[in-house]
């Protein structure tokens, strides 16, 4: 009885591995078939989906851009998405990379071989898997292990050494004003100060927009164009999304799971003069 069960399991496991290898090979061939395709990979402890959506919206008004849908950020999900949805004439492919263990992002980076790497804010998200903040930093920085890497944009929370191909962001934002009507902030860029407004909620989104602006500028967009496009960005669903219904204001932050984002949402809600109700599961993927 035991031998047939073991043999069936082994045969099933090997068959699955063979199929996965074939799917991966097809996806890799599809990526390399378009010589003009630029791959932009994004990771962070939190904010990576927002950065992905904002950058997509900024670039797609000028180029043909495709991004991984929803919160697809694993190697298997990315391979499936490439095989099924990536068109042959895409100019920029924006990939979100997530991790639950050391080596997960390295595997994604070595597969998609990004030209541009973005490492957003790093914190204690998923610390139950990584045990220490340094392990989280090391895992996120695996994204730079690409043979085609041209440039990387790294948040200062990564605490890595400066290099010629790395631009740090997060420390050159001033005068952030966050209200229920949006955010305003000044960005220091090439020794000049530029003012930005976005119809987005949460002061922390200034950091997400910082790297969107810097990476889009690197790709050729002017600061004047970026000021206009940032001003018309759409809210990301379930991430500090403002909904007005029947005279009530709902702040839908149900996809958020980090302390900084939650505190930001409470600060916003505290500006409202009427009765306030908070519905929350609490934080379950952080430290004490």
């Amino acid at each position: 009885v035991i031998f047939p069960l073991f043999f069936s399991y082994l045969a099933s496991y090997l068959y699955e591995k063979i199929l996965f290898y074939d799917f991966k090979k097809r996806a890799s061939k599809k990526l390399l078939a378009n010589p003009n395709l630029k791959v932009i990979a994004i990771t962070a402890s939190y904010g990576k989906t927002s950065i992905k959506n904002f950058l997509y919206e900024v670039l797609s008004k000028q180029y043909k851009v495709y991004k991984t849908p929803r919160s697809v950020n694993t190697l298997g999900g990315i391979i499936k998405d490439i095989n099924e949805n990536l068109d042959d004439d895409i100019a920029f492919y924006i990939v979100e990379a997530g991790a639950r263990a050391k080596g997960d992002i390295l595997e994604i980076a070595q597969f998609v071989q990004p030209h541009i790497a973005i490492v957003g804010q790093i914190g204690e998200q998923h610390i139950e898997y990584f045990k220490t903040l340094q392990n989280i930093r090391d895992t996120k920085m695996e994204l730079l292990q690409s043979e085609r890497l041209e440039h990387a944009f790294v948040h200062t929370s990564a605490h890595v050494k400066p290099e010629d191909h790395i631009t740090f962001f997060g420390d050159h934002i001033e005068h952030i004003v966050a209200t229920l009507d949006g955010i305003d902030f000044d960005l220091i860029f090439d020794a000049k100060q530029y003012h930005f407004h976005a119809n987005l909620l949460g002061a922390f989104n200034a950091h997400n927009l910082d790297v969107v602006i810097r990476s889009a500028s690197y790709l050729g967009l002017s600061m004047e164009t970026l000021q206009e496009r940032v001003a018309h960005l759409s809210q990301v669903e379930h991430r500090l999304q403002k909904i007005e219904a029947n005279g009530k204001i709902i702040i839908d932050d149900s996809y958020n799971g980090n302390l900084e984002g939650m505190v930001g949402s409470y600060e916003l809600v505290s500006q409202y003069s009427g009765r306030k109700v908070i519905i929350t599961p609490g934080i379950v993927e952080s430290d004490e």
Side-chain angles (χ1 to χ4, degrees):
V1 173
I2 295 175
F3 179 76
L5 287 174
F6 175 76
F7 181 78
S8 298
Y9 170 78
L10 183 62
S12 176
Y13 176 81
L14 291 174
Y15 182 62
E16 183 179 321
K17 286 293 183 182
I18 292 169
L19 285 178
F20 184 80
Y21 176 78
D22 181 59
F23 292 148
K24 185 177 180 180
K25 190 175 180 181
R26 281 166 47 199
S28 180
K29 185 177 179 181
K30 195 171 183 180
L31 276 178
L32 297 174
N34 181 358
N36 299 317
L37 176 68
K38 292 281 188 180
V39 178
I40 304 170
I42 302 169
T43 192
S45 292
Y46 42 85
K48 54 185 175 291
T49 303
S50 295
I51 293 171
K52 176 185 71 176
N53 282 285
F54 298 153
L55 185 58
Y56 170 82
E57 200 168 338
V58 165
L59 293 177
S60 60
K61 296 188 185 317
Q62 190 167 331
Y63 305 100
K64 189 164 184 181
V65 187
Y66 181 72
K67 60 180 173 67
T68 48
R70 302 175 302 281
S71 295
V72 171
N73 59 23
T74 63
L75 180 62
I78 292 166
I79 288 171
K80 182 176 184 292
D81 186 48
I82 291 171
N83 283 329
E84 294 179 357
N85 302 310
L86 185 66
D87 292 337
D88 297 332
D89 58 347
I90 296 295
F92 293 103
Y93 177 36
I94 307 175
V95 181
E96 180 179 337
R100 289 294 179 96
K102 196 171 182 179
D104 284 355
I105 290 177
L106 178 62
E107 199 173 23
I108 293 171
Q110 291 182 339
F111 172 66
V112 300
Q113 293 289 331
H115 301 83
I116 307 294
I118 295 175
V119 180
Q121 288 180 272
I122 294 175
E124 291 162 334
Q125 198 79 347
H126 301 310
I127 200 162
E128 74 272 27
Y129 300 112
F130 294 99
K131 308 305 179 186
T132 69
L133 191 56
Q134 189 57 50
N135 286 341
I136 295 174
R137 290 193 182 104
D138 292 344
T139 301
K140 299 303 181 188
M141 291 304 296
E142 291 172 356
L143 194 66
L144 276 61
Q145 302 302 311
S146 166
E147 295 178 1
R148 300 192 296 186
L149 187 69
E150 297 172 0
H151 205 81
F153 297 86
V154 179
H155 193 267
T156 52
S157 58
H159 301 304
V160 295
K161 294 179 181 179
E163 293 187 43
D164 292 340
H165 68 291
I166 296 178
T167 294
F168 293 102
F169 69 97
D171 284 349
H172 302 289
I173 310 168
E174 298 179 349
H175 312 121
I176 302 175
V177 178
T179 70
L180 288 170
D181 294 318
I183 56 172
D184 288 87
F185 62 94
D186 293 328
L187 186 66
I188 308 302
F189 186 84
D190 288 343
K192 295 181 180 179
Q193 182 172 296
Y194 296 89
H195 181 76
F196 286 87
H197 170 79
N199 296 320
L200 306 169
L201 303 187
F204 57 84
N205 263 324
H207 289 263
N208 295 333
L209 292 174
D210 181 358
V211 71
V212 168
I213 293 162
R214 292 181 189 279
S215 55
S217 174
Y218 175 82
L219 294 170
L221 275 67
S222 69
M223 294 304 284
E224 292 74 20
T225 298
L226 287 166
Q227 284 173 313
E228 190 272 333
R229 291 185 184 176
V230 165
H232 293 91
L233 285 173
S234 304
Q235 299 179 99
V236 180
E237 284 189 332
H238 313 303
R239 291 171 173 85
L240 274 184
Q241 179 186 9
K242 182 181 177 182
I243 303 168
E244 297 187 45
N246 300 321
K248 296 179 177 64
I249 296 177
I250 300 169
I251 306 298
D252 180 0
D253 200 31
S254 53
Y255 275 18
N256 176 43
N258 72 85
L259 183 60
E260 182 180 352
M262 290 183 75
V263 171
S265 69
Y266 298 158
E267 288 173 349
L268 279 172
V269 171
S270 71
Q271 299 174 19
Y272 186 67
S273 59
R275 185 185 181 204
K276 295 174 278 287
V277 178
I278 293 176
I279 306 172
T280 174
I283 292 283
V284 296
E285 293 183 332
S286 189
D287 62 6
E288 292 181 14

